[in-house]
Amino acid sequence: MTARKSRHHHGNLRATLVAAGVVLVDRSGPDALSTRKLAAQAGVSHAAPAHHFPSLTHLRTAVAAEGFRRFTAAMEDAMGRADAHPRAQCDAACRGYIAFARGHPGLFQLIFGGHDLVREDVEFCAASGQAAALLSRIAAPFAAGARDRAAVETMIWAQVHGFCSLMLSGQLAVADGIDPADWFLSLPGRAPVGSDAAHFPLARNGTAA
Amino acid sequence: MTARKSRHHHGNLRATLVAAGVVLVDRSGPDALSTRKLAAQAGVSHAAPAHHFPSLTHLRTAVAAEGFRRFTAAMEDAMGRADAHPRAQCDAACRGYIAFARGHPGLFQLIFGGHDLVREDVEFCAASGQAAALLSRIAAPFAAGARDRAAVETMIWAQVHGFCSLMLSGQLAVADGIDPADWFLSLPGRAPVGSDAAHFPLARNGTAA
DNA sequence: GCGCAAGCTTGACAGTGTCAAGTTTTCAGC
DNA sequence: GCTGAAAACTTGACACTGTCAAGCTTGCGC
């Protein structure tokens, strides 16, 4: 189905470019993305991508959207293999978060690293919105009111995201032989805390509830 | 002293390039950095920077080192204007952290955004080491043992850094009219928590100690 | 005053994104 | 089943990028 014979029309160029872009970013980082490289890899001329993406920024945005989908999938995957208990689900999501950042640093940095993206792109918004919705769902059991909910969401996200971000930028060295996710989950005072006593199997100081 | 007349020798090119680089990154983001642009701005030929920096990555690293120095200065400045109490110092450092991220998003992303940098550069290591040392000093009063100290450091840094990082990448919208630093400092469960009761003027649930 | 090294220039090269114009293919409407 | 128009792709060009190889200019130690 892909590139039957070697015709003038590729038939599926847009998807091919995005897929190749994901691989390239994953391997060589966000800055390695190049319309000409992807065009060559897809076997088309250097200007072909321009007919599917108005600019490199748009192509980068499409790759980032796919990155967001895989990011969400990483969390959902970890959650699917965990207990249904709210705290276990939250911990699992954090594990998925950290695993994605470690396994796909290029995509992680493309998504969160402040690169030039078309932030109002509908596909990108949908993909990032799904990730945000997942975080929101995880935070819900730990919050009473709307303000609590925003606060708990922010804390969960900020903590795990800051941990990943610092780890990737080399500012936070985790000792050899220690799994970063284990280390993160063992940190005292990790969110959610506060009004979540009912869903919190371990008390804040490490003693059983 | 700068560029006397218009001589062949600039006299202070290295420092001039870094200074112009800081301004450029501050204005237009890390990706706008270009040896030719800086050369033109300094009034020298396009290949002149190569005699002071082996590659663009080295120039970028020098700019990042200066960025780290200003980042540290922003925290120290806020701390200087705050009470000497450990908790007040920690809060002030967070305010400085957030103020720097908001005021200089380009430099913040250059430093922490996973860009290509010469991480073993001595000047860069010194600059980033000073920031880490400051964080360590702030965390010290809240930690009992060595493991606690690393954990508290990690939590403080991860929380505020994640908050800033998500804010800059547009994933975390702070309501209009609310100061992001105020909102962050008001979050329940913010580190340091745990063994810091003696230095914690407010109890964890918001009631006075 | 001389010589040499450092600092800077000029020119070139391969690579990039983007535009304009031309060619090929697909497909809807008759 | 043909036709014309639109979509898909190519070719060529342009300005821009980082980097290299030469050569020129200047300052400074001797």
Side-chain angles (χ1 to χ4, degrees), chain B residues 45-195:
Chain B
S45 78
H46 66 261
H51 290 264
H52 295 274
F53 303 98
S55 78
L56 174 62
T57 304
H58 288 80
L59 203 169
R60 193 189 289 119
T61 303
V63 174
E66 175 60 24
F68 248 121
R69 270 179 238 121
R70 300 193 184 191
F71 168 66
T72 306
M75 287 195 286
E76 283 172 340
D77 182 59
M79 289 166 71
R81 286 184 284 100
D83 194 82
H85 190 281
R87 181 72 194 186
Q89 288 289 296
C90 180
D91 286 2
C94 287
R95 282 193 182 279
Y97 206 116
I98 295 169
F100 182 82
R102 296 217 309 153
H104 307 278
L107 287 174
F108 188 87
Q109 279 158 353
L110 173 64
I111 290 174
F112 291 117
H115 287 84
D116 237 31
L117 297 175
V118 187
R119 309 243 167 230
E120 62 274 15
D121 178 87
V122 287
E123 196 195 347
F124 178 78
C125 285
S128 71
Q130 280 210 346
L134 181 61
L135 264 298
S136 194
R137 232 180 305 142
I138 291 165
F142 304 100
R147 195 203 171 282
D148 266 23
R149 178 155 173 169
V152 173
E153 259 179 61
T154 302
M155 279 314 270
I156 295 175
W157 206 351
Q159 282 183 354
V160 66
H161 183 77
F163 183 80
C164 292
S165 184
L166 289 171
M167 197 170 51
L168 288 192
S169 67
Q171 302 299 332
L172 201 156
V174 177
D176 285 345
I178 294 182
D179 180 49
D182 287 341
W183 158 249
F184 176 77
L185 291 178
S186 79
L187 290 177
R190 196 174 59 82
V193 294
S195 54

Side-chain angles (χ1 to χ4, degrees), chain A residues 30-31 60 68 97 109 111-116 119 124 128 132 147-148 150-152 154-155 157-163 165-166 168-172 183-184 186-191 193-195 204-205, chain B residues 30-31 60 68 97 109 111-116 119 124 128 132 147-148 150-152 154-155 157-163 165-166 168-172 183-184 186-191 193-195 204-205:
Chain A
D31 292 341
R60 194 188 288 119
F68 247 120
Y97 206 116
Q109 279 158 354
I111 290 174
F112 291 117
H115 287 83
D116 237 32
R119 308 245 168 228
F124 178 78
S128 70
R147 197 207 170 280
D148 267 23
V152 173
T154 301
M155 279 314 273
W157 207 349
Q159 281 182 356
V160 66
H161 183 77
F163 183 80
S165 184
L166 289 172
L168 289 191
S169 67
Q171 302 299 331
L172 201 157
W183 157 249
F184 175 78
S186 79
L187 290 176
R190 196 174 59 81
V193 295
S195 54
R204 254 162 276 141
N205 287 337
Chain B
D31 293 339
R60 193 189 289 119
F68 248 121
Y97 206 116
Q109 279 158 353
I111 290 174
F112 291 117
H115 287 84
D116 237 31
R119 309 243 167 230
F124 178 78
S128 71
R147 195 203 171 282
D148 266 23
V152 173
T154 302
M155 279 314 270
W157 206 351
Q159 282 183 354
V160 66
H161 183 77
F163 183 80
S165 184
L166 289 171
L168 288 192
S169 67
Q171 302 299 332
L172 201 156
W183 158 249
F184 176 77
S186 79
L187 290 177
R190 196 174 59 82
V193 294
S195 54
R204 252 164 277 140
N205 285 339

